[in-house]
């Protein structure tokens, strides 16, 4: 059965980017510390990343995140979905309007203009027997959890306090989480919850 997994790196104080994040600086000031684990040589970090990339039948992201990954400083042949693994599942982007051009034309992009639930449904159709992964940004994941669209929340808790940036959670519906696993590594604590 296809699960909907929200998977994102977050600071100890709840931010998924540092301050000043935008198309030219996708992670904002200090935000690169959030993804240290994805480039780590720690065997457990490598396992978490590899398993996450392998289970991704389709990936959902918001338009702001698309603009970062498709921008000039975004993904390339060495760093992409799954960091250095450069996974290539189908990508579904929630947007008010599709972009006029796409730099990463070797990836499978679908642009959904009718809302997050339709984007998740489109990704579910593309995922086959694998999972749908919501990779962000923070507003997309927060909205999906508030709307009851997420089965699993996978957080990669980076040992950094950013003080400001893009929060993962803002005013949303209360959700109960059931802890499934905790994997501490030298660069992060990987926590997986069922969303009930």
């Amino acid at each position: 059965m296809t699960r909907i997994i929200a998977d994102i790196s977050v600071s100890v104080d709840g931010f998924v980017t540092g301050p000043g994040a935008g198309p030219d600086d996708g992670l904002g000031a200090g935000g690169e510390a959030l993804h240290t684990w994805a480039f780590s040589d720690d065997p457990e970090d490598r396992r978490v990343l590899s398993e996450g990339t392998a289970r991704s039948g389709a990936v959902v992201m918001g338009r702001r995140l698309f603009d970062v990954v498709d921008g000039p400083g975004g993904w390339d042949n060495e760093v992409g979905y799954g960091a250095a693994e450069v996974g290539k599942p189908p990508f579904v982007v929630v947007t008010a309007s599709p972009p006029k051009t796409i730099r990463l034309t070797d990836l499978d992009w679908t642009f959904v203009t009718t809302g997050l639930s339709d984007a998740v449904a489109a990704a579910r159709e593309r995922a086959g027997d694998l999972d749908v992964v919501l990779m962000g940004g923070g507003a997309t994941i927060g909205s999906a959890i508030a709307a009851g669209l997420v089965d699993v929340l996978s957080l990669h808790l980076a040992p950094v306090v950013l003080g400001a940036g893009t929060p993962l959670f803002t005013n949303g519906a209360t959700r109960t989480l059931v802890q499934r696993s905790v994997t501490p590594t030298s660069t992060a604590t990987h926590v997986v919850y069922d969303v009930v």
Side-chain angles (χ1 to χ4, degrees), residues 35-105:
H35 294 254
T36 300
W37 74 272
F39 298 94
S40 165
D41 290 330
D42 185 296
E44 283 300 295
D45 286 328
R46 304 287 347 128
R47 181 189 62 76
V48 168
L49 184 65
S50 178
E51 288 176 2
T53 304
R55 76 168 179 251
S56 301
V59 175
V60 176
M61 69 178 74
R63 175 60 188 268
R64 282 181 287 205
L65 182 54
F66 167 80
D67 288 342
V68 170
V69 301
D70 193 55
W75 291 349
D76 56 29
N77 290 331
E78 294 179 19
V79 177
Y81 180 71
E85 295 189 20
V86 193
K88 295 187 176 185
F91 295 95
V92 178
V93 180
V94 184
T95 181
S97 61
K100 295 193 186 317
T101 62
I102 300 171
R103 180 179 64 86
L104 299 170
T105 56

